[in-house]
Amino acid sequence: MTYATQNDLATRYGTSLLVELTDRAEEPTGEIDAQVVEKAASGTDALIDGYLQGRYVLPMSETPPLVRELAEAITIYKLHRYTPSEKIVDEHKAALVTLDKVAKGVVRLPIAGVEPAVKPGKGVRVTDRERPLTAASLKGFI
């Protein structure tokens, strides 16, 4: 399941931008190349899964809006062969920061059936030596 589809990208960024970024034929066809979009989207999915796999059960049953938005920002950045606009670069950086926050548990995803991974050993653990304070061990001090 792809987090951001070609339709999602077209809705957010416009069809003309997708045609410009994906029509890489010798003679331009004026159409969106679905294979180029799919390759960028699958790379984005792998990146997002890498951030989420330690905290959530994958694959997700449904894509939350936050993950879709992050996937759109990362995929459109990946589709650029040359220098993207400043807005695209800023959205990409912000998406990676947000993914890092999701991975650390600062931002949580509201999805039914997705549970955070439980890390063993939470809490404080103190180990100290025995303190045998008896009359025999205090001989000479009392």
Side-chain angles (χ1 to χ4, degrees):
M1 179 177 97
T2 307
Y3 295 131
T5 65
Q6 180 176 319
N7 290 336
D8 294 335
L9 293 170
T11 301
R12 182 170 176 180
Y13 296 104
T15 305
S16 61
L17 179 61
L18 282 180
V19 169
E20 180 184 328
L21 295 175
T22 63
D23 191 6
R24 300 176 181 175
E26 292 273 333
E27 290 185 28
T29 61
E31 299 291 324
I32 298 172
D33 188 345
Q35 289 179 337
V36 174
V37 173
E38 180 59 34
K39 184 176 179 182
S42 66
T44 300
D45 292 350
L47 176 71
I48 291 173
D49 286 347
Y51 275 97
L52 301 182
Q53 73 182 1
R55 183 154 299 275
Y56 294 99
V57 176
L58 297 175
M60 293 183 200
S61 58
E62 59 185 60
T63 303
L66 176 62
V67 173
R68 180 175 293 115
E69 184 177 319
L70 298 175
E72 290 168 358
I74 294 169
T75 303
I76 202 73
Y77 179 83
K78 285 178 174 271
L79 286 172
H80 281 79
R81 291 186 296 171
Y82 306 109
T83 307
S85 69
E86 188 176 330
K87 181 181 185 299
I88 300 292
V89 172
D90 290 343
E91 284 183 358
H92 179 256
K93 287 179 184 178
L96 293 179
V97 168
T98 304
L99 275 175
D100 191 45
K101 288 180 180 179
V102 170
K104 291 179 179 175
V106 176
V107 176
R108 296 185 186 212
L109 300 177
I111 297 179
V114 178
E115 300 174 12
V118 178
K119 294 184 179 178
K122 289 213 172 203
V124 178
R125 183 176 181 175
V126 178
T127 305
D128 199 5
R129 66 187 184 283
E130 289 185 29
R131 297 180 183 225
L133 299 177
T134 62
S137 66
L138 294 175
K139 188 174 183 181
F141 292 104
I142 299 179

